[in-house]
Amino acid sequence: MSKFSRFMKCNKIERKNGMYAPTRSLRDEEGKALEWEFRHITSREIENIREDCTIEVPVTGKPNMYRQKLKAGLYIQKMITASVVMPDLYDAQLQDSYGVKTPEELLLAMVDDPGEYNELAAFVQNFQGFNVSFEDKVEEAKN
């Protein structure tokens, strides 16, 4: 038996999808807000999203010098979009019904109340594990 056997992929706990109703403006026949399905995204996916949302900005007073800047709003939109399983934000028919052409635009059209959008962003960040502080992880490791 390998000294790393407990770290093998077969021992990794599978994270389950979650449900959340991001807007009260989309309801079923009984008047209940429609729940959307969300999946956990990988560290690799989040790094690709971060890279896609990072731009180079010139440093004032220093020619030919640049610093990186994260376009935070776009980063959140892309993270939410990557997390959504249902409804399919990439579906052309659904996009056409809202008159948009990208999944991020569809997301903003479907959840068009700013308060609801902020709550959705907070839900997705928590769901993806961005809610656990370093101190919480240390405490959990101690137990």
Side-chain angles (χ1 to χ4, degrees):
M1 180 186 285
S2 167
K3 63 181 177 181
F4 298 112
S5 62
R6 291 189 291 173
F7 295 98
M8 299 296 179
K9 187 173 182 176
C10 62
N11 294 321
K12 192 168 175 120
I13 296 171
E14 185 177 327
R15 299 178 295 174
K16 297 189 183 322
N17 288 357
M19 303 298 285
Y20 178 75
T23 181
R24 291 172 284 288
S25 62
L26 294 169
R27 300 181 174 272
D28 64 12
E29 302 78 28
E30 299 169 1
K32 285 179 42 182
L34 293 175
E35 287 192 327
W36 295 16
E37 182 179 359
F38 295 85
R39 70 178 183 89
H40 288 276
I41 54 180
T42 65
S43 298
R44 169 82 56 210
E45 288 174 294
I46 206 71
E47 284 304 314
N48 289 340
I49 291 169
R50 181 176 289 127
E51 190 174 300
D52 288 346
C53 297
T54 302
I55 58 172
E56 300 251 328
V57 178
V59 175
T60 307
K62 297 190 178 186
N64 300 321
M65 291 201 63
Y66 297 87
R67 63 177 177 81
Q68 292 187 336
K69 178 181 178 189
L70 179 68
K71 296 172 85 175
L74 183 59
Y75 175 74
I76 295 295
Q77 287 173 24
K78 286 184 174 283
M79 181 171 46
I80 294 170
T81 301
S83 302
V84 174
V85 174
M86 187 64 174
D88 181 0
L89 299 177
Y90 292 86
D91 184 77
Q93 187 176 2
L94 186 55
Q95 290 176 1
D96 289 345
S97 78
Y98 282 89
V100 298
K101 296 293 179 198
T102 68
E104 292 80 22
E105 289 175 325
L106 179 58
L107 172 67
L108 293 174
M110 292 177 80
V111 186
D112 60 352
D113 179 274
E116 290 178 340
Y117 182 78
N118 282 341
E119 290 173 12
L120 171 60
F123 167 78
V124 170
Q125 289 175 71
N126 287 336
F127 185 71
Q128 296 303 343
F130 289 109
N131 60 333
V132 181
S133 71
F134 180 73
E135 290 78 20
D136 292 339
K137 289 182 180 181
V138 168
E139 202 55 41
E140 181 181 331
K142 287 180 182 177
N143 297 329

